[in-house]
Amino acid sequence: MRLGKGLAIGLVATSCLLLSGCGTKNKEHAVTAVGSTAMQPLVQKAGSDFQQQNQQYTVTVQGGGSGTGLSQAETGAVNIGNSDIFAEQKDGIHADRLQDHRVAVVGIAPVSNEHNGVNNLTQRQLAAIFTGKIKNWKEVGGKDLPIIVINRAQGSGTRKTFEAKVLKGQQPVKSQEQDSNGTVKKIVQNTPGTISYLSLPYLNRELQTVKVDGVAPTPRNITTNKWKIWSYEHMYTSKQPSKPTQAFLAYLMSKPVQAKLVKEAGYVSIHDMKVHMTPDDRVLPGNQ
Amino acid sequence: MNNIQKKLVQPSAATHQDRRGRLISFICVSFIMVLTVAIIGFIAIHGLATFTENHISVWDFLTKSDWNPGQMGPNGKPEVGALAMIVASFAVTLLAALFATPFAVAVAVYMTELAPKRGARMLQPVIELLVGIPSVVYGFIGLVVVVPAIRSVFGGTGFGVLAGAIVLFVMILPTITSLTIDSLKQVPGYYRDASLALGATKWQTIYKVILRAALPGIMTAVVFGMARAFGEALAVQMVIGNAAITPTNLVSPTSTLTSQLTSQMGDTIMGTLPNNALWSLALVLLLMSVIFNVLVKFIGSRGELKK
């Protein structure tokens, strides 16, 4: 009994010591980045590379969605909030309390099942499909097959970008919604008649992308805005980011990372952009 | 003398131990109670904010099925109607229970009455195995096996109430089965002996005596299974289609309360209407689980075996 008690006290004491030890180390040298799942592969890879080169820092990356990223960064719960959309575009976020760091650009491409018989649509047709005005693939030159729209979950950053660029304020059709990129992929691959959209890093060869007005979603077309459906990958921090956070952001923006890692992961380097976008979705010439 | 008196009057070591034990369990119990009350209070505060702060009418929430809390509807008010999801949740739950109950009862009867030793030895691990499989695996199997199968048989997309119910059927089967086994085992042996002594066959005994006597227990098992089905999120989300549309048939995409919650919670900001509306869905789920609990208590108290 006495031995047990001593053991318990000892255990509690050691774990307290260990925990507090971790705590002090974490506070000074840790970077936490939370948010957009579209950005997660990039930030995760960059984080582990950064950690390897700078052993004194630890980088923790989590998903959770753009909304989570923005609100957590605003309250200061995390160092970096990852988001596909401008903080100004999200209700309930005070954009003036946050500092925007645009680390990359991501293209979004419509994907459809290869049995539909269509791999090119006009901008107008694409909008008509996602607003429910066109209901059968034969209306756009494909097979006689009803169109099944798979949307992303309401509030998703990818969906917001897609709707801003394609629907331009029109009401989307009521349709199926999926919140995970993997599930969208599986459904579009297996179900004839389906159409959805994915950010480019999540695409693979088995999925058929759809050209819009004959333009393919390539990195080159994105840099000149010939491919219009793209968004920034924002990393929002507080106005005075901590030292490790600054170091990590500088690392992400550095030439080697932008030229290699960003491109390999399927994103477009922020340095290559020949245009820039404003928070109200206007695209202007010149890289900012 | 004095020493002995002291020893007799003072509480013994065992008494101290007794008191300590009681104190510890009291602390644990009160902690659990505080936790429960806090969770209910938290969900209620956020769930009711939709109606108190955002001024959405409760009636609209329960009877309309346009779900789009992030945007203004045609009448200038946000669309917060949860009927489609409530209907879908009930449809999936009831259908799954309908599928699962006969199987569960059959398995339980086999294990307790027909082949008690051999049956139990074979089936017990199988049922336990079903419990251990994570729900995302059920969802994935549903997505790549059940949905395409439904599509090729019934047409449509394959996503919908039927796919959800089939996945849930497998998931709640172990719950209902093991609780049914317990209630069959509780039927006293002399019921069986008496029935057989009167000349009833084995089947007559099972059907007319044992199942009748165990009926309240079986019903409790079904309600527990339904509670589990009603609250299941991930697996259903993968096969139901997540379209906030009232289901018109078994193979049209729809959405349950839980599937909306899980797919949208990450993209809403605390304190805004889209977030509050999701808490309201959570509140509906909480109320339903309270109702399921009350139902179990009610069945239990009504159906106690009277001796």
Side-chain angles (χ1 to χ4, degrees):
Chain A
M1 163 104 192
R2 184 157 297 169
L3 185 75
K5 217 184 221 170
L7 205 67
I9 290 170
L11 264 177
V12 170
T14 0
S15 53
C16 279
L17 269 175
L18 279 175
L19 281 176
S20 61
C22 287
T24 45
K25 194 179 171 222
N26 269 344
K27 247 176 213 157
E28 278 167 29
H29 297 293
V31 182
T32 46
V34 168
S36 159
T37 46
M39 287 180 72
Q40 212 177 341
L42 173 67
V43 184
Q44 219 139 34
K45 186 78 184 58
S48 66
D49 288 357
F50 176 71
Q51 234 171 209
Q52 227 151 46
Q53 291 174 28
N54 306 278
Q55 304 259 339
Q56 73 273 33
Y57 297 135
T58 53
V59 180
T60 316
V61 183
Q62 279 171 20
S66 298
T68 307
L70 286 169
S71 58
Q72 299 265 18
E74 194 192 317
T75 54
V78 297
N79 300 103
I80 300 173
N82 299 331
S83 168
D84 308 333
I85 54 171
F86 283 95
E88 286 89 345
Q89 292 174 338
K90 191 87 194 172
D91 289 335
I93 292 288
H94 302 275
D96 51 316
R97 289 184 204 161
L98 292 166
Q99 194 175 341
D100 186 5
H101 308 267
R102 295 167 203 171
V103 295
V105 167
V106 67
I108 295 162
V111 289
S112 73
N113 187 275
E114 53 184 6
H115 299 297
N116 304 342
V118 174
N119 58 12
N120 185 24
L121 291 166
T122 65
Q123 174 106 23
R124 191 183 292 262
Q125 284 170 336
L126 190 62
I129 286 172
F130 277 90
T131 50
K133 290 186 190 97
I134 295 180
K135 290 189 165 61
N136 196 304
W137 285 107
K138 73 177 176 204
E139 291 173 61
V140 290
K143 288 185 190 158
D144 182 9
L145 198 63
I147 293 176
I148 301 164
V149 171
I150 314 278
N151 230 324
R152 302 302 293 280
Q154 286 183 28
S156 133
T158 309
R159 174 165 173 176
K160 201 142 191 165
T161 306
F162 187 81
E163 290 187 343
K165 299 290 180 171
V166 175
L167 304 190
K168 295 179 174 140
Q170 296 175 72
Q171 194 69 20
V173 63
K174 270 194 185 176
S175 66
Q176 299 194 40
E177 287 171 14
Q178 293 297 339
D179 74 327
S180 121
N181 294 291
T183 313
V184 169
K185 246 195 235 182
K186 258 269 103 52
I187 293 173
V188 173
Q189 249 170 42
N190 295 337
T191 319
T194 44
I195 184 166
S196 186
Y197 44 89
L198 280 171
S199 56
L200 292 183
Y202 281 101
L203 287 181
N204 57 19
R205 256 187 243 145
E206 290 143 38
L207 279 170
Q208 177 190 266
T209 57
V210 179
K211 291 180 188 166
V212 177
D213 294 323
V215 178
T218 60
R220 182 185 291 271
N221 287 335
I222 291 168
T223 57
T224 55
N225 200 39
K226 244 178 107 180
W227 181 263
K228 296 192 175 63
I229 317 169
W230 57 271
S231 69
Y232 288 115
E233 299 291 46
H234 305 265
M235 293 180 98
Y236 281 99
T237 62
S238 63
K239 289 283 180 195
Q240 280 100 26
S242 68
K243 268 244 165 65
T245 309
Q246 283 175 5
F248 182 50
L249 287 170
Y251 173 79
L252 267 168
M253 296 299 287
S254 69
K255 273 236 166 74
V257 172
Q258 287 282 331
K260 199 155 179 291
L261 184 67
V262 168
K263 279 178 192 167
E264 275 168 9
Y267 302 83
V268 179
S269 164
I270 194 84
H271 299 322
D272 291 348
M273 293 303 288
K274 310 218 161 42
V275 293
H276 69 272
M277 204 193 312
T278 60
D280 49 2
D281 285 322
R282 283 179 306 145
V283 176
L284 306 170
N287 189 348
Q288 231 187 10
Chain B
M1 186 63 200
N2 221 357
N3 235 348
I4 296 171
Q5 198 178 12
K6 226 179 179 180
K7 248 190 184 161
L8 283 175
V9 174
Q10 268 190 347
S12 67
T15 313
H16 276 302
Q17 211 175 16
D18 198 39
R19 279 194 196 145
R20 245 196 322 267
R22 217 182 300 168
L23 184 71
I24 290 171
S25 51
F26 176 75
I27 290 171
C28 289
V29 167
S30 42
F31 179 70
I32 296 291
M33 276 175 68
V34 168
L35 205 65
T36 311
V37 170
I39 289 173
I40 293 174
F42 191 77
I43 295 177
I45 288 168
H46 283 282
L48 292 174
T50 312
F51 313 115
T52 55
E53 281 174 31
N54 305 105
H55 306 292
I56 304 289
S57 94
V58 181
W59 185 244
D60 281 358
F61 178 77
L62 291 175
T63 58
K64 293 209 169 141
S65 48
D66 295 306
W67 181 260
N68 209 345
Q71 276 167 6
M72 292 294 157
N75 60 355
K77 272 187 182 170
E79 297 172 325
V80 188
L83 183 66
M85 286 160 252
I86 295 172
V87 170
S89 275
F90 274 104
V92 170
T93 304
L94 289 174
L95 209 59
L98 212 62
F99 290 161
T101 308
F103 284 92
V105 172
V107 171
V109 166
Y110 180 77
M111 281 174 72
T112 54
E113 308 297 327
L114 296 179
K117 276 212 182 110
R118 196 156 48 91
R121 217 180 28 240
M122 269 168 28
L123 283 172
Q124 195 77 42
V126 175
I127 291 165
E128 278 161 11
L129 213 64
L130 283 181
V131 182
I133 298 172
S135 65
V136 67
V137 174
Y138 282 114
F140 193 73
I141 295 171
L143 188 62
V144 296
V145 179
V146 177
V147 169
I150 292 175
R151 182 168 61 236
S152 60
V153 175
F154 298 101
T157 62
F159 292 93
V161 171
L162 187 59
I166 289 174
V167 168
L168 283 176
F169 151 66
V170 184
M171 295 180 75
I172 66 174
L173 193 57
T175 312
I176 303 184
T177 307
S178 48
L179 287 171
T180 304
I181 289 171
D182 290 346
S183 69
L184 288 182
K185 276 184 181 160
Q186 272 174 11
V187 176
Y190 55 79
Y191 277 41
R192 293 174 183 85
D193 300 343
S195 171
L196 292 172
L198 284 169
T201 61
K202 186 119 196 173
W203 169 245
Q204 283 168 335
T205 307
I206 292 170
Y207 185 67
K208 299 232 156 134
V209 178
I210 299 171
L211 283 182
R212 289 291 154 85
L215 191 63
I218 297 172
M219 276 164 70
T220 311
V222 173
V223 174
F224 266 119
M226 282 168 69
R228 171 153 162 67
F230 203 80
E232 170 52 39
L234 203 54
V236 175
Q237 189 199 329
M238 290 170 85
V239 298
I240 195 109
N242 288 321
I245 308 168
T246 314
T248 51
N249 58 46
L250 291 182
V251 290
S252 69
T254 178
S255 164
T256 60
L257 292 162
T258 47
S259 76
Q260 282 292 313
L261 265 171
T262 47
S263 66
Q264 292 179 11
M265 212 44 157
D267 278 314
T268 53
I269 309 291
M270 206 74 175
T272 59
L273 174 61
N275 189 270
N276 288 342
L278 291 178
W279 282 106
S280 304
L281 297 186
L283 188 61
V284 173
L285 280 166
L286 182 71
L287 290 178
M288 277 314 300
S289 91
V290 170
I291 290 173
F292 279 126
N293 269 310
V294 170
L295 213 59
V296 167
K297 285 263 149 51
F298 181 71
I299 294 171
S301 66
R302 277 286 295 268
E304 261 169 30
L305 277 179
K306 285 173 191 100
K307 288 176 188 162

